[in-house]
């Protein structure tokens, strides 16, 4: 499997491609990372150094890959945080180029906009870009529950309303939806869930909720789920493997006392998921 991953990069810590690439490589996926920024660290620190990479320069990198014949056998285009309309255009152009060369390729979009606690933290134009232009072109989307509601103009909270919101997302174009950070009021205290759905059904997995915030964990989740789903064609299997790997990554990070993901230290969790959480079909 080959993945063209168009995301940010940081030197210190793990977000964007700096979070997604190694776990994918550790499970045997060939990754072609294309950077949209090259920062010293993620912006959650409040200060960082390094350049934004212009949309024209990002496009040039992708064109150079194409000139080497490198887009012909891409199986997945993966994107995360989109900082501007211009980057969105470049990503959609790359998706079109890849699918022209390989019609079986898929586009997986993590529509990063915000979360339930912080609200939207992207520029006002980005949610509109994602909702109107990007998500309709995606085959797989991996929003959190808050982002799913924002995309579909719904208010998912219960299992039933979340499934209704997933159906609304299907109507926009995507064929597969992974919903992270699902928090329904009737779940057991101290737990959190993820839900995956496609045309075959919907499945949910419940894990202990770890008391921490870990920048980059969503990027790892989107990458691993996409790769496992592409490999197996099973949303349930992809959900089980991903939840196992990411929970162990987060638990290892919490135990370390460090702020940044213990990405390398947790590599066995990607290569050999413990499959410690049961997946339940809900539709």
């Amino acid at each position: 499997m080959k993945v063209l991953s168009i995301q940010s990069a940081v030197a210190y810590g793990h977000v964007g491609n700096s979070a997604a690439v190694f776990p994918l490589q550790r499970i045997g996926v060939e990754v072609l990372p294309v950077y949209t920024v090259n920062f010293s660290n993620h912006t959650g620190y409040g200060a960082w150094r390094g350049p934004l990479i212009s949309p024209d320069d990002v496009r040039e990198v992708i064109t150079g890959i194409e000139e080497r014949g490198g887009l012909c056998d891409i199986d997945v285009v993966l994107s995360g945080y989109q900082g501007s309309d211009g980057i969105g255009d470049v990503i959609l152009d790359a998706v079109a180029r890849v699918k022209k060369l390989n019609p079986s390729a898929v586009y997986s979009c993590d529509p990063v906009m915000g979360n339930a606690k912080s609200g939207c933290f992207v520029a006002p134009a980005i949610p509109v870009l994602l909702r109107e232009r990007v998500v309709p072109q995606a085959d797989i989307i991996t929003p959190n529950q808050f982002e799913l509601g924002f995309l579909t103009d719904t208010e998912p909270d219960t299992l039933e309303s979340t499934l209704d919101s997933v159906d609304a997302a299907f109507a926009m174009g995507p064929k597969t939806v992974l919903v992270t950070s699902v928090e329904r009021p009737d779940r057991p205290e101290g737990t959190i869930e993820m839900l995956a759905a496609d045309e075959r059904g919907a499945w949910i997995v419940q894990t202990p909720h770890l008391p921490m915030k870990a920048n980059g964990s969503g990027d790892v989740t989107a990458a691993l789920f996409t790769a496992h789903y592409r490999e197996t064609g099973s949303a349930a299997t992809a959900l089980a493997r991903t939840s196992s790997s990411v929970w162990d990554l987060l638990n290892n990070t919490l135990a370390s006392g460090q702020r940044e993901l213990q990405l390398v230290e947790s590599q066995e969790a990607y290569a050999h998921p413990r499959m410690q959480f049961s997946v339940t079909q809900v539709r």
Side-chain angles (χ1 to χ4, degrees):
M1 187 189 311
K2 285 191 177 182
V3 174
L4 178 69
S5 183
I6 308 171
Q7 302 195 55
S8 60
V10 295
Y12 177 79
H14 302 288
V15 299
N17 268 334
S18 302
V21 171
F22 177 69
L24 288 175
Q25 291 173 328
R26 192 63 182 83
I27 64 172
V29 175
E30 180 74 32
V31 188
L32 284 68
V34 176
Y35 301 148
T36 57
V37 309
N38 189 12
F39 287 166
S40 56
N41 51 271
H42 67 69
T43 59
Y45 284 95
W48 62 93
R49 296 179 183 272
L52 289 162
I53 300 174
S54 75
D56 287 343
D57 285 339
V58 177
R59 193 188 304 269
E60 280 292 288
V61 171
I62 295 169
T63 297
I65 295 170
E66 185 175 28
E67 289 170 346
R68 304 285 80 76
L71 297 186
C72 295
D73 54 355
I74 294 293
D75 299 292
V76 177
V77 179
L78 176 66
S79 72
Y81 170 75
Q82 298 186 20
S84 69
D85 288 6
I87 290 296
D89 289 335
V90 171
I91 292 169
L92 290 176
D93 178 62
V95 170
R97 290 200 232 178
V98 166
K99 288 192 171 188
K100 183 177 180 180
L101 293 166
N102 179 15
S104 67
V106 299
Y107 171 36
S108 180
C109 171
D110 185 9
V112 178
M113 290 182 285
N115 56 61
K117 292 181 180 178
S118 305
C120 268
F121 50 64
V122 298
I126 299 304
V128 178
L129 167 73
L130 290 168
R131 183 167 51 222
E132 295 184 358
R133 297 182 52 215
V134 177
V135 167
Q137 297 300 317
D139 301 286
I140 302 169
I141 60 171
T142 59
N144 60 38
Q145 191 176 32
F146 169 83
E147 292 162 340
L148 175 67
F150 208 97
L151 285 171
T152 57
D153 195 25
T154 60
E155 296 184 3
D157 51 6
T158 65
L159 176 59
E160 292 73 19
S161 62
T162 301
L163 288 169
D164 288 343
S165 297
V166 167
D167 287 338
F170 286 152
M172 297 173 70
K175 301 176 181 64
T176 305
V177 178
L178 172 71
V179 189
T180 64
S181 300
V182 175
E183 300 185 47
R184 46 182 177 140
D186 58 340
R187 75 190 190 281
E189 185 176 355
T191 64
I192 195 165
E193 295 169 317
M194 284 199 293
L195 183 147
D198 62 11
E199 62 185 6
R200 301 173 188 86
W203 294 262
I204 199 164
V205 63
Q206 188 176 95
T207 69
H209 183 257
L210 297 169
M212 63 183 298
K213 177 184 178 183
N215 294 86
S217 58
D219 302 317
V220 177
T221 300
L224 287 176
F225 178 82
T226 297
H228 288 312
Y229 185 75
R230 178 67 175 180
E231 177 194 358
T232 67
S234 167
T237 299
L239 183 63
R241 290 181 181 177
T242 301
S243 60
S244 173
S245 298
V246 173
W247 193 87
D248 278 346
L249 166 63
L250 292 174
N251 194 42
N252 292 342
T253 301
L254 180 63
S256 75
Q258 300 296 309
R259 175 171 180 172
E260 295 293 340
L261 290 175
Q262 300 300 288
L263 197 77
V264 175
E265 295 81 353
S266 302
Q267 60 184 286
E268 283 302 303
Y270 328 133
H272 305 106
R274 292 190 295 135
M275 306 296 276
Q276 69 270 42
F277 304 115
S278 60
V279 171
T280 303
Q281 187 163 9
V282 292
R283 186 169 66 185

